[in-house]
Amino acid sequence: MLRIEKYIERILKNAIEKAFPNKELKPIEITIATNEKFGDFQSNFAMMNSKIIGGNPRKIAEDLVNNIPENDIIEKLEIAGPGFINIFLKNSYVSEYVRKMTTEKYQFTELNTDGDIIIDYSSPNIAKRMHIGHLRSTIIGDSVKRLCNFLGYHTVADNHIGDWGTQFGKLIVGYHKWLDKDAYQKNPIEELERVYVEFTKESEKNPELEDIAREELKKLQDGDEENYKLWQEFIKVSLEEYNKLYERMDVHFDTYYGESFYHPIMPKVIDELVEKGLAVEDQGAKVVFFDEKENLHPCIVQKKDGAFLYSTSDIATIKFRKENYNVNKIIYLTDERQQDHFKQFFKITEMLGWDIEKVHIWFGIMRFADGVFSTRKGNVIRLEQLLDEGKKKALEIIEEKNSSLSDEEKDNIAEVVGIGAIKYADLSQNRQSPIIFEWDKILSFEGNTAPYLQYSYARIQSILRKAEELGKALDENKEIQIIDKNERPLSTYLTLFPTMALKAGEAYKPNLLTDYLFELAKKFNTFYNSCPILNQEDNILYSRLLLIDRVAKTLKEGLNLLGIKTVNRM
Ligand code: ARG
């Protein structure tokens, strides 16, 4: 099934061919009407093409409208203002579309979905517990992946973990000097983190520690056995911890290659850069200089001591992906501070002549009102702590509202609602705005929040259950009738779901979808307050059951695209 405006477009395109044959026209655009008075959809085709066709846009609009035959979709057309075409849909068409919405799959035929979209997200640096600074990349990335899948793309979710940075030299030094064996036994990653903070503190007093750390790192990179073993252990204990959190957040990756995986490719990358004259020696290091117009700092790709850098690994990553996938595009999610890094290495791969589409999706950093989170400064909120806090808050509310549920059910609902609230609080923000972290805001359960949507979903499930108890279960063979004035806005708004998901997916902006779902839930609640269901005569009852079932399924599918689950009772 296509988006509803695609069916309208077909009718209008036929009319355009008849009315204005053999003309090179700008393609017709159909937009959602900004006001009910202007119908359901609008087109500014006449104004867009008035120069090409010649003549008054209102006259062009009339010629077009006069060539549209009677059809099952359009009820009436009006010409407004300077030449807008206002399109009003037939109730019968809207209701039939709504009925089919959840049984047929959407087709986004205009997208080129060949190949793989590789999405590189979450990507924490090993040996630190994940904190709320990792939240955004993880859940925005997950939602982008889900949106891409919905649009028909094949995705590869890659967790590009930071397992090859300078932190390992420091960790190895810290491990030998300050590790508390018992603490390490109990909670390895917590102890590693402590050791790391210790290193930072000590090295301020004693800067030689930095040199020792660099030596340890070099030894590791040259394959020293002892350091290599330690390094593997750090990765293992870190991933064990991360996977617990990913599981709770319902975030799943296809690969976890990480920076180190590309290490063997890096010398080849340097060779190619040198051969092509792109990397040159500068004070012993190998550096890529950019054209002045690029406005980019030179990029070091290999240090004097032979060590590779973050950029080198990213260039190597592209080489690997180019050779091992049929890349449609690569999408990266990081915070705004990495914009220059991405510009640099994207440019370098272009200079190498590697033709791969890449997008860096950056987002604003989350901070406390008085500063940024930092593991080194020790002022972080751990992700686990945040999820627990969300769950606790949800549990309190459930106890208050629905204490008759079993403890197990309460626990399950609290996990879904608490984590949903947290994800939604982040996803519903404009991606590029900075976020000031406030517990109240992130754990809010009212208004434009996941719990409000989850509650609307559960409310519908409860109505459907009651109907079934009355012997009037939802019946797919019945029709949806649009009669009451509150049924129409709800129904037409429902039909826009695939359009909104497309918009959100193309702009990589999950907040466009949250806005839609919030509006949908509000429209459902308005409808339900004035349109009773269970005490109505059968044809109305069955029609409304079908309508609310579509609302519920759309809420569920929409929330699923955000990585948020639903529950049948709350
Ligand atoms: N590990 C990096 C960090 O924590 C993020 C990696 C992003 N992905 C990439 N291909 N550079 O900052």
Side-chain angles (χ1 to χ4, degrees), residues 425-438:
D426 184 340
L427 293 169
S428 58
Q429 313 264 342
N430 181 350
R431 172 164 51 73
Q432 296 183 338
S433 315
I435 297 192
I436 301 290
F437 181 88
E438 289 166 281

Side-chain angles (χ1 to χ4, degrees), residues 120 123-125 160-162 259 310 314 332-334 338 341-342:
D120 176 318
S123 312
N125 292 332
H160 189 74
I161 49 175
E259 289 174 36
Y310 185 42
D314 264 321
Y332 300 83
L333 290 105
T334 78
Q338 298 201 25
H341 163 72
F342 280 91

Side-chain angles (χ1 to χ4, degrees), residues 108 147 150-151 496-507 512-513 516 561:
F108 298 89
L147 284 163
F150 177 77
L151 297 178
L496 301 180
F497 174 67
T499 303
M500 294 306 185
L502 174 66
K503 283 194 178 160
E506 284 194 309
L512 299 178
L513 187 60
Y516 169 80
L561 293 178

Side-chain angles (χ1 to χ4, degrees), residues 538-555:
D538 276 5
N539 66 334
I540 294 187
L541 179 143
Y542 282 114
S543 159
R544 289 183 179 167
L545 285 183
L546 273 173
L547 178 57
I548 64 168
D549 173 72
R550 282 3 183 204
V551 172
K553 288 188 174 136
T554 303
L555 285 173

Side-chain angles (χ1 to χ4, degrees), residues 341-539:
H341 163 72
F342 280 91
K343 282 189 195 140
Q344 280 181 327
F345 87 82
F346 282 4
K347 187 71 213 168
I348 294 176
T349 60
E350 267 171 48
M351 289 155 75
L352 283 163
W354 300 351
D355 181 22
I356 296 262
E357 191 181 336
K358 304 164 287 302
V359 199
H360 178 216
I361 303 178
W362 57 269
F363 42 83
I365 331 180
M366 203 182 263
R367 355 171 161 244
F368 285 122
D370 58 0
V372 184
F373 301 105
S374 147
T375 312
R376 258 175 300 150
K377 290 192 199 143
N379 70 341
V380 285
I381 296 175
R382 286 179 297 107
L383 207 47
E384 189 181 11
Q385 208 181 341
L386 178 68
L387 301 183
D388 287 346
E389 217 39 64
K391 180 172 182 180
K392 200 173 112 208
K393 168 108 191 271
L395 200 56
E396 280 163 19
I397 296 177
I398 296 162
E399 292 283 5
E400 198 181 289
K401 289 203 170 152
N402 209 343
S403 56
S404 64
L405 297 168
S406 74
D407 283 350
E408 195 191 332
E409 243 180 318
K410 279 184 204 159
D411 190 74
N412 176 37
I413 297 170
E415 178 85 355
V416 169
V417 173
I419 293 180
I422 292 165
K423 287 188 172 186
Y424 193 95
D426 184 340
L427 293 169
S428 58
Q429 313 264 342
N430 181 350
R431 172 164 51 73
Q432 296 183 338
S433 315
I435 297 192
I436 301 290
F437 181 88
E438 289 166 281
W439 280 108
D440 281 354
K441 227 168 149 188
I442 227 165
L443 297 183
S444 164
F445 284 25
E446 267 152 49
N448 189 8
T449 63
Y452 174 71
L453 302 182
Q454 289 167 322
Y455 176 71
S456 304
Y457 176 85
R459 194 174 183 194
I460 295 175
Q461 297 314 311
S462 138
I463 302 167
L464 293 172
R465 277 195 303 270
K466 283 200 191 111
E468 205 172 334
E469 281 160 25
L470 294 172
K472 311 218 165 172
L474 181 78
D475 183 348
E476 286 293 331
N477 297 314
K478 293 284 188 330
E479 265 176 53
I480 298 178
Q481 300 169 332
I482 298 180
I483 300 165
D484 188 274
K485 70 171 190 333
N486 285 301
E487 287 169 335
R488 197 171 203 284
L490 179 61
S491 307
T492 47
Y493 199 70
L494 258 179
T495 65
L496 301 180
F497 174 67
T499 303
M500 294 306 185
L502 174 66
K503 283 194 178 160
E506 284 194 309
Y508 312 111
K509 287 193 165 175
N511 66 310
L512 299 178
L513 187 60
T514 60
D515 289 351
Y516 169 80
L517 294 174
F518 179 45
E519 195 55 41
L520 179 64
K522 278 197 293 189
K523 284 198 158 70
F524 158 71
N525 284 306
T526 310
F527 157 82
Y528 189 54
N529 289 337
S530 62
C531 295
I533 300 180
L534 298 177
N535 57 2
Q536 300 295 298
E537 44 177 281
D538 276 5
N539 66 334

